[in-house]
């Protein structure tokens, strides 16, 4: 991931500044060019402009990381299927569903985030841990979570496609295999849970449609009549708490 960010940043630099001559012309007009200084110990120190560029590049990747490396995908799909099963159209609205999925993802991932903050982020900010080591340890923790929640057959599928393996442990699996396997497994799991949630509401729709047909009220929409009954059933069984609680329990967090 770090190499990809550096490559993209380098391409942006090449397109934006167009070489040394253009950088010198920027300096002539009082605009500091992007520079890098190699220290005596072999480390490279980048200018503030390049640091800001790397930070902005990392921020563009952040939404994809939240979607692809956390519990967000499974939660938002299940909640969307639940809304469709209820037949409430745009209620709750998309913004509410995304907020619920985001904060529920933070709740599910909180044990991992706490360890990341205490054991990795805090020592790095205090200067007790190098950046490369902190990044490696953080990725290992995220890979352990993703592999624990990924189906073995899906993981083996992407491993066979890339002609890699067998692997010694979870940490030895490359991120290029874990990420697509995890997101594919999450999609399958989310649709399985959504199917189980959809069944009771489908039964209500079928019962209401049969009653209306037997009464000769074929011009009356069954969806319109079944909506109050589905909402009543959902409220009586405390559906939101039951769905969110059961959905949170489906994740394996070490």
């Amino acid at each position: 991931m770090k190499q990809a960010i550096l490559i993209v940043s380098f391409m942006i630099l090449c397109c934006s500044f167009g070489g040394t001559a253009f950088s010198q012309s920027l300096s002539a007009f009082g605009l500091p060019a992007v520079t890098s200084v190699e220290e005596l110990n072999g480390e490279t120190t980048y200018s503030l402009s390049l640091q800001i560029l790397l930070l902005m590049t990392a921020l563009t990747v952040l939404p994809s990381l939240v979607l692809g490396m956390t519990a967000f995908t499974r939660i938002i799909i299940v909640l969307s299927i639940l809304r469709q099963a209820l037949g409430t159209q745009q209620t709750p609205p998309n913004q509410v569903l995304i907020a619920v999925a985001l904060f529920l993802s933070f709740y599910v991932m909180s044990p991992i985030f706490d360890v990341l903050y205490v054991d990795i982020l805090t020592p790095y900010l205090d200067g007790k841990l190098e950046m490369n080591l902190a990044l490696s340890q953080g990725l290992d923790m995220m890979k352990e979570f993703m592999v624990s929640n990924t189906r073995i057959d899906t993981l083996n599928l992407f491993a066979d496609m890339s002609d890699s393996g067998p692997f010694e442990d979870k940490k030895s699996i490359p991120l290029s295999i874990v990420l697509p396997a995890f997101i594919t497994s999450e999609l399958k799991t989310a649709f399985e849970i959504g199917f189980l949630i959809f069944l009771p509401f489908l039964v209500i729709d079928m019962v209401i449609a049969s009653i209306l047909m037997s009464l000769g009220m074929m011009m009356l929409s069954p969806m319109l009549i079944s909506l109050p009954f589905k909402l009543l059933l959902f409220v009586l069984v405390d559906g939101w708490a039951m769905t969110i609680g059961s959905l949170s329990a489906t994740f394996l967090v070490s």
Side-chain angles (χ1 to χ4, degrees):
M1 187 63 66
K2 179 184 176 182
Q3 294 178 352
I5 294 176
L6 290 176
I7 292 174
V8 173
S9 303
F10 177 74
M11 294 175 62
I12 295 176
L13 286 174
C14 293
C15 296
S16 300
F17 295 97
T20 306
F22 189 71
S23 299
Q24 294 176 353
S25 63
L26 287 177
S27 300
F29 284 98
L31 297 176
V34 176
T35 58
S36 61
V37 179
E38 187 173 354
E39 304 291 342
L40 296 178
N41 56 3
E43 296 182 357
T44 303
T45 302
Y46 298 98
S47 65
L48 180 61
S49 301
L50 185 56
Q51 293 177 6
I52 295 177
L53 179 62
L54 292 175
L55 177 61
M56 297 302 296
T57 305
L59 289 178
T60 59
V61 184
L62 184 60
S64 299
L65 295 179
V66 173
L67 292 176
M69 300 179 65
T70 63
F72 182 86
T73 301
R74 184 188 304 185
I75 296 173
I76 190 63
I77 291 177
V78 171
L79 293 180
S80 300
I81 294 177
L82 173 61
R83 182 179 64 179
Q84 187 176 1
L86 286 172
T88 54
Q89 302 301 325
Q90 294 298 320
T91 303
N94 293 331
Q95 292 84 350
V96 175
L97 289 184
I98 293 175
V100 173
L102 186 61
F103 290 121
L104 188 58
S105 300
F106 289 154
Y107 170 77
V108 172
M109 304 287 295
S110 59
I112 298 177
F113 289 160
D114 292 341
V115 176
L116 285 174
Y117 180 78
V118 174
D119 296 343
I120 298 177
L121 183 59
T122 301
Y124 169 71
L125 294 178
D126 294 338
K128 301 178 181 179
L129 191 64
E130 296 181 357
M131 179 179 179
N132 294 334
L133 184 59
L135 183 60
S136 176
Q137 293 179 359
L139 288 178
D140 288 341
M141 290 194 60
M142 294 303 300
K143 282 198 296 185
E144 184 176 358
F145 166 78
M146 290 188 290
V147 173
S148 300
N149 292 274
T150 303
R151 300 171 185 269
I152 301 299
D153 54 348
T154 307
L155 196 61
N156 293 333
L157 171 64
F158 284 94
D160 294 339
M161 292 173 61
S162 60
D163 294 331
S164 57
F167 306 103
E168 298 179 358
D169 52 9
K170 297 178 181 179
K171 297 180 181 180
S172 62
I173 306 176
L175 198 63
S176 59
I177 295 178
V178 176
L179 279 176
F182 174 72
I183 196 70
T184 304
S185 178
E186 286 292 282
L187 289 174
K188 183 177 180 180
T189 304
F191 276 92
E192 289 180 350
I193 299 174
F195 172 75
L196 297 177
I197 292 176
F198 212 108
L199 281 180
F201 300 106
L202 180 61
V203 172
I204 295 178
D205 289 334
M206 294 176 62
V207 170
I208 296 298
S210 300
I211 294 175
L212 292 178
M213 290 187 64
S214 63
L215 295 177
M217 299 180 180
M218 292 178 292
M219 299 299 295
L220 190 60
S221 174
M223 297 293 296
L224 182 63
I225 304 300
S226 62
L227 178 59
F229 293 98
K230 290 190 289 186
L231 292 178
L232 178 61
L233 174 65
F234 194 69
V235 171
L236 289 178
V237 300
D238 197 6
W240 285 113
M242 181 182 298
T243 302
I244 291 177
S246 302
L247 189 57
S248 301
T250 59
F251 293 95
L252 299 177
V253 181
S254 57

